[in-house]
Amino acid sequence: MRHQDPYSVPEAARVTSRRPRIAALDVIRGFALCGILVANVQPIAHVGSVAVEPAPMPGEEWMGLLVEQRFFPIFSLLFGVGFSLLLNSATDRAPHPRLLLLRRLLVLLAMGLVHHFLLWEGDILAIYAVVGLVVLLPSTWLPRWAVAGLAAALLVAPLIVGSGFLALVPGLFLLGSALTRYGVIARIERSTRGPAVLGLVLAVGAAPALWWQTHSTGGSGFSGSLALAGLLIAGVYVCALLVLLRTPIRPALQAVFAPLGQMALTNYLTATILVLAISRVLRGRSDDWSLTTVLLIAGAVLAVQWLWSALWLRRYQQGPLEWLWRWATWARRPPLRRDIAVTFERHGGPSLPS
C-alpha cells in the first residue's frame, strides 16, 4: 500500500484528535538550549564593551571541540520538525493552514528584531523567521521526496564551499521537515538500535572532521571544518540522548531537560536578560572570563530557568511567550491554565497544538 503524503490527505479523511507531545523532542530541545547558553554567555556579556583582541581562554580548545556550533544545528533541525508538526495539526483544524504558519513566522520575526535591536545583536530568531518564510513555507507545496532532496543539497553545498553555520540553516530546516513527513519523528522513541548505530557512524565521521578543525588555520577551510564537525557532533549528541531515553535514566533526563525544552522560546530570550544582569555585577571584561566562570554563569542561569519552568508548567500548559506566540498564530486566545484547558476541551472547545 502506497504511503500518502500527509499534506495531500482529503479533508474528510483527516483525523482531528489531539497529537500528544513527543517527550524526546522536549528533552533534546532542552539539552540544546543548555549548550547554546554556554556558547553564548561571553558574546552576550560582551554587548556594549570596547572591541579588543581577546586573550585565549583556558579550556577554549574543549569549547571549540564540544560546544561551539554543536547545538544550533539541533535547534535548527527541531525548528523544521516543529514547523511540519504544526502544519499537520493546522491542516486538520484550520481552513487556511499556510496563512496560520505565515502569521507564526511573522510574529517570530518581530520577536527576533526586538531582541536583536534592544538586547543582543547575535539573535538567531529573526534569521530563523526569514529562512522559514523563504524556504520552509514554500516547501509545504512540494512532495516530501523533493524536500528531502533539497535538504541534502542545501547541507552538502555549504560544506563543499566552506561556508559558515548560517548557510546550513535552510538545509537543517528542510531535513527536520522531511524527517517529520516521512514519519521518522513519530517513531523516534521506538528504537534503540537505530540511534545507536547512527550515532556510532556519526562519531566515526566526526573524528577526522575534528582533526580537520583543529588543524585548519582560518578562512573558508576553518569555517567548513567547524560546520562539518558541528553537524556530526550534534548528530552524535541527539543519538546519544535517544539511546539514553530508552534506559532507566529516562525519568532523570526528562526531569532535567524537558521543562527547559517546553519553554525554549521564553528561556532563550530571558537568558539574554539574565546574562546581561550578571555581567554588570561581575568585574572585569567578559573576554577575560575563564571557562569556569562561563560555566558557573550558565549554570546559574539554567538553574533559575529550570526552577521557573518546572513551577510554571505545573499550573500552565505553556511558557508565557509560547502562549502569546500560539495566540498570535491561531488568532484566538487559547487557554493557558491546565485546569481551564481540560475543562475547555471536555466541553468541545478546540484543542490547539503548540
Side-chain angles (χ1 to χ4, degrees):
M1 180 176 177
R2 185 180 177 184
H3 189 282
Q4 216 169 4
D5 191 287
Y7 302 150
S8 64
V9 178
E11 187 75 32
R14 291 174 189 143
V15 179
T16 57
S17 60
R18 181 184 178 91
R19 179 182 288 105
R21 292 191 72 93
I22 301 175
L25 297 182
D26 286 330
V27 172
I28 295 169
R29 190 179 294 110
F31 173 76
L33 192 72
C34 294
I36 288 169
L37 179 58
V38 172
N40 285 347
V41 163
Q42 281 187 297
I44 292 173
H46 190 71
V47 170
S49 301
V50 178
V52 295
E53 186 67 27
M57 179 178 65
E60 188 173 5
E61 306 83 21
W62 292 106
M63 288 282 286
L65 292 175
L66 301 178
V67 176
E68 189 175 356
Q69 294 192 18
R70 274 43 174 171
F71 295 93
F72 271 118
I74 302 175
F75 230 54
S76 301
L77 180 75
L78 292 178
F79 190 90
V81 169
F83 187 90
S84 287
L85 288 175
L86 178 58
L87 181 55
N88 284 340
S89 296
T91 302
D92 294 335
R93 295 172 172 86
H96 305 290
R98 291 177 178 85
L99 180 60
L100 180 148
L101 291 171
L102 174 62
R103 283 200 304 267
R104 187 170 181 84
L105 291 171
L106 290 175
V107 172
L108 183 66
L109 177 60
M111 289 183 184
L113 291 175
V114 170
H115 187 221
H116 175 89
F117 287 110
L118 294 185
L119 293 173
W120 181 45
E121 62 183 13
D123 171 79
I124 196 71
L125 298 182
I127 295 173
Y128 275 17
V130 171
V131 175
L133 290 168
V134 175
V135 176
L136 264 183
L137 192 56
S139 76
T140 62
W141 278 279
L142 297 176
R144 60 185 186 177
W145 62 263
V147 174
L150 276 175
L154 291 176
L155 287 174
V156 172
L159 295 175
I160 292 176
V161 300
S163 300
F165 161 71
L166 290 180
L168 296 173
V169 171
L172 288 166
F173 278 11
L174 292 177
L175 177 59
S177 178
L179 290 174
T180 304
R181 293 175 67 170
Y182 273 98
V184 175
I185 299 302
R187 303 188 300 270
I188 198 171
E189 296 193 72
R190 299 179 187 174
S191 171
T192 303
R193 181 180 299 176
V197 172
L198 178 59
L200 287 174
V201 171
L202 293 173
V204 170
L210 289 173
W211 181 91
W212 181 26
Q213 176 186 323
T214 56
H215 288 78
S216 297
T217 56
S220 61
F222 178 74
S223 297
S225 65
L226 186 61
L228 177 59
L231 281 178
L232 295 173
I233 296 297
V236 171
Y237 287 161
V238 170
C239 291
L241 280 173
L242 291 175
V243 171
L244 291 173
L245 283 170
R246 300 275 294 176
T247 70
I249 69 169
R250 177 190 177 97
L253 291 174
Q254 284 191 250
V256 172
F257 294 118
L260 294 170
Q262 284 185 252
M263 291 177 49
L265 178 63
T266 296
N267 288 326
Y268 173 76
L269 292 174
T270 56
T272 302
I273 299 173
L274 292 173
V275 171
L276 287 173
I278 293 173
S279 67
R280 299 301 181 263
V281 175
L282 296 179
R283 295 181 179 180
R285 297 183 304 112
S286 61
D287 291 331
D288 297 329
W289 288 348
S290 66
L291 177 60
T292 301
T293 301
V294 170
L295 293 177
L296 286 174
I297 292 172
V301 171
L302 289 170
V304 169
Q305 290 186 327
W306 178 86
L307 180 61
W308 144 264
S309 299
L311 293 176
W312 179 274
L313 290 171
R314 286 183 183 180
R315 187 170 185 179
Y316 303 105
Q317 291 195 102
Q318 293 180 297
L321 291 181
E322 285 79 5
W323 178 70
L324 290 173
W325 196 20
R326 184 182 184 188
W327 186 351
T329 297
W330 291 87
R332 58 182 183 267
R333 181 181 177 180
L336 179 59
R337 288 177 53 180
R338 290 188 178 276
D339 53 349
I340 295 177
V342 171
T343 303
F344 191 60
E345 290 179 26
R346 285 176 179 171
H347 288 79
S351 172
L352 304 182
S354 305

